[in-house]
Amino acid sequence: IFLPDREAAGGASSDLNRSTNYGSSWDVAIDSNQSDHLTVALENGTGSSLNGVSWSNSLYFVTTNSGASWTLVTTPSGHSFGSGRVLYKSDNSFYIYTSSNSKEIRKATSNTGARTTINLSSVINGTIYTLQKDSDDIFYLGTSAGYIYTSEDGSSWDELTEWSAAFTELGTRAVTDIHCDNSNNRYLVGTENGVGSVKIWSLTKD
């Protein structure tokens, strides 16, 4: 289990913390000496030799041993130090993550290679609020305007029209979380309206 720290009151530096006993105790995996440690992800699989990435405000790290140790490397070309989720394709052929630009995502085919910027300004309604992936390897993107978009390759995105047709509060609630329950053939979607009202919706998949 990994837990990135965010800056505490008083300007304390933040770390990437690691637990190997389900959270009973924690060790510092990366002492980046940065004000925020933003994200961490390991590729899909099991064992002690998984690759992974992690970054803080301006430092980029990789691992080849499932996070037991991390190496500071040169920041890849095209990388964005955003704080969103990193999602690997199930075969680990690429991963995507949100950018500091709220209408872009980045796509990478290796942990240290150049990133591709995918600008969705002309595709999505609203700004990116959440990025998720289901057990069928479909990526989901939720926006501030209440829309959901899907992609298989992380590059081309289409509106999930069954959601926008059923959701009666488009434009007033942001999609903050998406869970695709394939075993029960439904979506569970979390939304909020910016003033503390949170709702969870269930939608049967077509």
Side-chain angles (χ1 to χ4, degrees), residues 50-108:
L50 297 179
N51 296 309
V53 296
S54 186
W55 56 83
S56 54
N57 300 80
S58 60
L59 301 177
Y60 185 93
F61 302 84
V62 297
T63 182
T64 58
N65 56 11
S66 299
S69 61
W70 295 83
T71 302
L72 175 65
V73 297
T74 301
T75 302
S77 173
H79 176 67
S80 174
F81 285 99
S83 59
R85 176 173 293 180
V86 176
L87 296 174
Y88 281 86
K89 189 74 170 175
S90 62
D91 62 1
N92 299 316
S93 58
F94 69 87
Y95 62 84
I96 60 174
Y97 58 99
T98 50
S99 166
S100 55
N101 182 317
S102 59
K103 290 202 175 214
E104 290 180 352
I105 60 174
R106 304 295 167 106
K107 181 177 179 179

Side-chain angles (χ1 to χ4, degrees), residues 167-195:
F167 185 49
T168 60
E169 300 184 56
L170 289 172
T172 64
R173 286 184 170 273
V175 172
T176 57
D177 202 4
I178 307 164
H179 174 67
C180 187
D181 183 0
N182 289 323
S183 61
N184 291 302
N185 202 40
R186 66 174 180 168
Y187 300 103
L188 296 175
V189 181
T191 66
E192 59 92 14
N193 66 352
V195 291

